[in-house]
Amino acid sequence: MEKKLGLPSAIATGVGLIVATSCLMSLGQGAGTIGTSFIISMIIACAINIFTALGLSELNALMPNLTGGLAQYTLAAMGPFASIIVMVGGYIVCNTISGSAECAMFGNTMNSVFHTPLPSSFFCIILLVILIVTNLCGVDMFAKIQDVVAYGLIFSLVIMGLIGMFKAGTGKVVDQPAVISSAPSDILSMLGIAFFLFLGCEFIIPIAPNIKNGRRNVPLGMILSLLIVLGMQIIVVLGMHNYTKWDELASNSAPHVLYGVNLLGNVGKYWMAIVSIFAVVSTVNSVIGSLPYICAGMAKIGLLPEIFAKRNKFGTPFFGTLLIGGLMIIINATGLSTTSQLSTLILIGCVFWMAAYAISAIDVLIFRKKLKKAPRTFKVPLGPVIPILCITGNVFMMYNISPDPATRGLIYRVVGIIFVALAIYSVIWIKKVMKIKLFKPLSVEQVMAMENDMYRLVRKKKKKSESIPIFERAMK
């Protein structure tokens, strides 16, 4: 009997993807730009992400235990074209790039702190191989790693934040104003950066079939992971205020390490290095552990080749695990993950992610109209208000993806190119392989039936039968 995961593992999965090394950098740079007012930006961004989590929880309650998550919800609400665009662009491409970036930061941290003669990519590749092998051993091994690194990460950052808050560090306390700017325009302009601090809690949904009491623990796990991260980051910002000058935080490429050094000297330096390692392992483990299940779910409904749905003896969708992990190895081995444009690429992925979140809210509204009387074990309160706020908030953050107009323009242009490429792939795949209409939704019953392995077996037999000439079938 397959072992089920509890609420702590669900929370660890959500926290694991949310808190990354790049998030620690964004946290320091956001606080360094406007001071503790950045906490308001964080609260607003967290609220918008909680709205998204509530909407996804309703979708999961309406169509439970679907490993493809948003791909399957959108297929039943808006058709295959939107589903492929959102999932391939907003999840697979975005997370493969950002996961590779996290690995590169891991290698750079190892060399900058421990001064090894080995190239940074060596550490990246070793880490990726270990995580690929352990995730191939099943969801239980994934959870064991995730629990250790995620809770080690939370504990370390909370303790270091509290030491700074209460001025209990060994370093020199900095005398500076808590607030640099409290102007609403400045606070709202930082929402794009703040949003990046809360991405990924929905990665709990693909492993929902492996979670005990999923109806309760899936929405609770997503919301608690967001609130835990928010509380932890507020504490760290307040600690940074006492030990690190705002302008130095804003300009430093590793503000979290700077804070650790100013707080506790070499002890803080090595401790924050360990925190960075926890963050990288946690994030990459979540990507390698969860994305293959999303791909498997998409394969079940025909949006990706069927090989993505095949599983090994541990129940792991091995092709997706090997492909995603392998792409990360290639990106790091070629040095592409250390280029100066990588941060822009991550923001490009974030635009697709925001679009995915907005579409999840549109799915909720569509199903509210189409399936008014369908049973739901969870329903977002206040009628259409929260889904509309979710859509509005994500569109606004897409507009504020970067405070620099030139960078924002570049991001929009690249997003447009990626959209066109994905659209071409989608049209070809849907017309030639799926052979269905681009924008015609499938019924909820059909999408849910596709989750069952028997659906594919019956479909294969039907295709094989149809390929036999009529007179041969008559002879049989």
Side-chain angles (χ1 to χ4, degrees):
M1 186 176 179
E2 188 177 0
K3 187 176 179 181
K4 293 280 188 175
L5 307 178
L7 179 61
S9 293
I11 293 171
T13 301
V15 171
L17 196 80
I18 295 170
V19 182
T21 306
S22 52
C23 289
L24 295 175
M25 290 192 296
S26 298
L27 179 66
Q29 291 169 352
T33 302
I34 61 173
T36 54
S37 298
F38 186 59
I39 292 173
I40 301 174
S41 304
M42 289 161 50
I43 292 171
I44 296 172
C46 183
I48 295 171
N49 279 272
I50 288 175
F51 296 159
T52 301
L54 290 171
L56 287 167
S57 297
E58 178 173 331
L59 293 171
N60 184 59
L62 182 67
M63 302 170 66
N65 299 327
L66 299 183
T67 52
L70 186 56
Q72 287 153 310
Y73 309 146
T74 306
L75 181 61
M78 303 173 67
F81 182 82
S83 188
I84 291 178
I85 294 290
V86 168
M87 297 307 295
V88 176
Y91 280 81
I92 298 173
V93 173
C94 172
N95 281 282
T96 301
I97 292 173
S98 62
S100 301
E102 297 302 324
C103 289
M105 293 173 193
F106 165 75
N108 294 337
T109 299
M110 292 293 287
N111 270 335
S112 64
V113 173
F114 300 106
H115 305 291
T116 69
L118 299 168
S120 298
S121 59
F122 172 82
F123 299 102
C124 304
I125 294 169
I126 292 297
L127 172 67
L128 284 166
V129 169
I130 292 172
L131 292 178
I132 290 169
V133 171
T134 52
N135 275 281
L136 285 172
C137 293
V139 70
D140 185 45
M141 185 61 71
F142 157 80
K144 287 177 180 176
I145 295 174
Q146 201 62 26
D147 287 351
V148 171
V149 296
Y151 287 106
L153 177 65
I154 294 168
F155 175 79
S156 294
L157 287 174
V158 168
I159 294 299
M160 294 188 79
L162 289 173
I163 292 172
M165 273 183 62
F166 293 105
K167 302 179 181 180
T170 58
K172 183 180 178 182
V173 175
V174 174
D175 183 18
Q176 64 179 346
V179 176
I180 297 175
S181 174
S182 58
S185 58
D186 290 336
I187 292 171
L188 293 176
S189 71
M190 300 302 292
L191 279 181
I193 293 175
F195 172 80
F196 189 57
L197 303 176
F198 301 100
L199 279 174
C201 72
E202 75 279 4
F203 269 56
I204 295 172
I205 288 179
I207 60 169
N210 301 305
I211 295 176
K212 296 177 190 174
N213 192 7
R215 291 178 178 179
R216 178 183 75 97
N217 289 339
V218 169
L220 190 58
M222 286 194 287
I223 293 169
L224 286 178
S225 63
L226 287 166
L227 292 175
I228 288 169
V229 169
L230 174 63
M232 175 184 67
Q233 291 172 340
I234 289 173
I235 291 171
V236 173
V237 169
L238 295 175
M240 286 176 167
H241 162 245
N242 289 330
Y243 282 91
T244 312
K245 292 182 178 180
W246 293 132
D247 58 342
E248 293 180 3
L249 274 176
S251 61
N252 198 286
S253 60
H256 55 297
V257 177
L258 176 65
Y259 169 62
V261 172
N262 290 352
L263 181 70
L264 297 170
N266 281 332
V267 172
K269 175 183 177 181
Y270 292 118
W271 193 353
M272 197 57 84
I274 293 171
V275 167
S276 299
I277 293 169
F278 277 158
V280 171
V281 173
S282 183
T283 301
V284 177
N285 190 53
S286 287
V287 171
I288 294 177
S290 298
L291 264 186
Y293 287 90
I294 293 176
C295 294
M298 292 180 70
K300 287 179 179 180
I301 57 179
L303 299 180
L304 285 177
E306 194 170 316
I307 191 171
F308 282 94
K310 295 185 180 296
R311 301 185 181 232
N312 63 13
K313 64 179 181 179
F314 298 105
T316 303
F318 64 90
F319 183 78
T321 303
L322 292 172
L323 177 65
I324 291 164
L327 287 173
M328 289 186 185
I329 289 176
I330 292 170
I331 290 172
N332 278 279
T334 55
L336 293 176
S337 59
T338 57
T339 62
S340 58
Q341 291 82 16
L342 191 59
S343 60
T344 304
L345 290 176
I346 293 174
L347 291 177
I348 290 166
C350 284
V351 172
F352 278 98
W353 215 325
M354 292 170 185
Y357 281 3
I359 285 176
S360 71
I362 295 172
D363 290 345
V364 172
L365 295 175
I366 289 173
F367 286 130
R368 289 273 184 93
K369 187 174 182 179
K370 287 175 59 177
L371 304 170
K372 292 180 181 179
K373 297 181 180 180
R376 295 165 172 83
T377 55
F378 177 87
K379 192 171 183 179
V380 180
L382 303 177
V385 174
I386 289 178
I388 290 172
L389 287 174
C390 176
I391 296 166
T392 304
N394 279 288
V395 170
F396 183 81
M397 290 189 295
M398 289 168 67
Y399 178 76
N400 287 281
I401 190 64
S402 173
D404 178 36
T407 302
R408 191 163 59 243
L410 174 62
I411 290 170
Y412 292 154
R413 287 194 295 274
V414 176
V415 166
I417 293 170
I418 294 175
F419 177 84
V420 171
L422 288 175
I424 293 171
Y425 161 77
S426 299
V427 170
I428 294 172
W429 182 262
I430 294 166
K431 289 291 187 182
K432 300 296 183 182
V433 179
M434 298 181 72
K435 297 180 179 179
I436 59 176
K437 294 181 179 179
L438 294 174
F439 302 103
K440 184 179 180 181
L442 274 63
S443 69
V444 169
E445 294 81 6
Q446 185 177 356
V447 173
M448 292 186 71
M450 289 176 171
E451 182 73 16
N452 194 303
D453 291 335
M454 287 300 296
Y455 183 93
R456 295 200 310 280
L457 293 175
V458 171
R459 188 171 60 182
K460 277 184 179 179
K461 288 181 180 179
K462 184 179 178 181
K463 285 183 178 179
K464 186 175 180 181
S465 174
E466 289 174 349
S467 67
I468 300 174
I470 295 175
F471 73 91
E472 288 188 25
R473 291 208 304 270
M475 292 289 290
K476 291 184 177 181

